[in-house]
Amino acid sequence: MSFIASECILWQASRQNPRVHIFHLAPTVQGAGLNTFKNMHCKPCEGGVCPLDEGISNQHLGQLPGWQLAADKTRITRTLRFKDFLATISFINAMAYMSEQQGHHPDFSAGYNYCEVNYTTHAIGGLSENDFICAAKINDLLEA
């Protein structure tokens, strides 16, 4: 299991003066064993934590076949192909069930024989461990 420490700056307006920002240097530790992502459960995220940086995201993606970092670096994406509409909808239903269990939901678009899945953590405006947990669970669904 490897851990990578990084730092980010969180800011918020002071209650006394909404124009003044208080800066916090917040150390973060990222990098649970990637081969265990599919066995992990998402943790609620309401903000207040830093998104993963590009290096950590790419390191995680190295062990999630088929997933790519989007150009804006705030989400991961995968396009899946299926034999027909019923197979596509069956996958979407399985993805919806898993997402409800995890409390972390993807953005997706679908058509007759494809589904494009995007994960980001909206509360932090970027990627969190939850996105990689769900991506691993999607890969696991496809192997079943």
Side-chain angles (χ1 to χ4, degrees):
M1 195 177 301
S2 65
F3 293 92
I4 298 171
S6 64
E7 295 180 347
C8 69
I9 297 175
L10 301 175
W11 60 272
Q12 63 188 35
S14 164
R15 289 184 186 194
Q16 293 81 17
N17 186 346
R19 291 183 165 170
V20 176
H21 297 288
I22 301 169
F23 292 90
H24 301 277
L25 200 54
T28 59
V29 177
Q30 311 294 341
L34 295 176
N35 58 352
T36 64
F37 274 160
K38 71 179 184 180
N39 298 318
M40 295 173 68
H41 190 81
C42 292
K43 298 175 186 108
C45 181
E46 299 299 326
V49 297
C50 301
L52 298 177
D53 66 29
E54 182 179 357
I56 293 170
S57 296
N58 281 323
Q59 189 175 31
H60 288 355
L61 285 173
Q63 298 191 31
L64 290 171
W67 291 89
Q68 298 178 337
L69 187 61
D72 65 6
K73 313 291 190 256
T74 65
R75 60 193 166 85
I76 55 175
T77 185
R78 182 170 181 186
T79 300
L80 305 160
R81 299 281 177 199
F82 300 95
K83 68 178 182 171
D84 57 26
F85 185 72
L86 183 57
T88 304
I89 294 302
S90 295
F91 165 77
I92 290 170
N93 286 332
M95 178 177 66
Y97 180 79
M98 178 275 295
S99 299
E100 280 296 303
Q101 297 299 308
Q102 294 301 310
H104 191 65
H105 304 88
D107 295 322
F108 69 93
S109 60
Y112 174 77
N113 65 348
Y114 75 92
C115 183
E116 181 181 307
V117 182
N118 292 280
Y119 274 106
T120 188
T121 302
H122 295 287
I124 62 172
L127 292 164
S128 73
E129 188 175 74
N130 290 346
D131 300 306
F132 295 93
I133 291 170
C134 288
K137 290 181 182 297
I138 292 286
N139 284 2
D140 201 38
L141 283 174
L142 296 168
E143 292 173 10

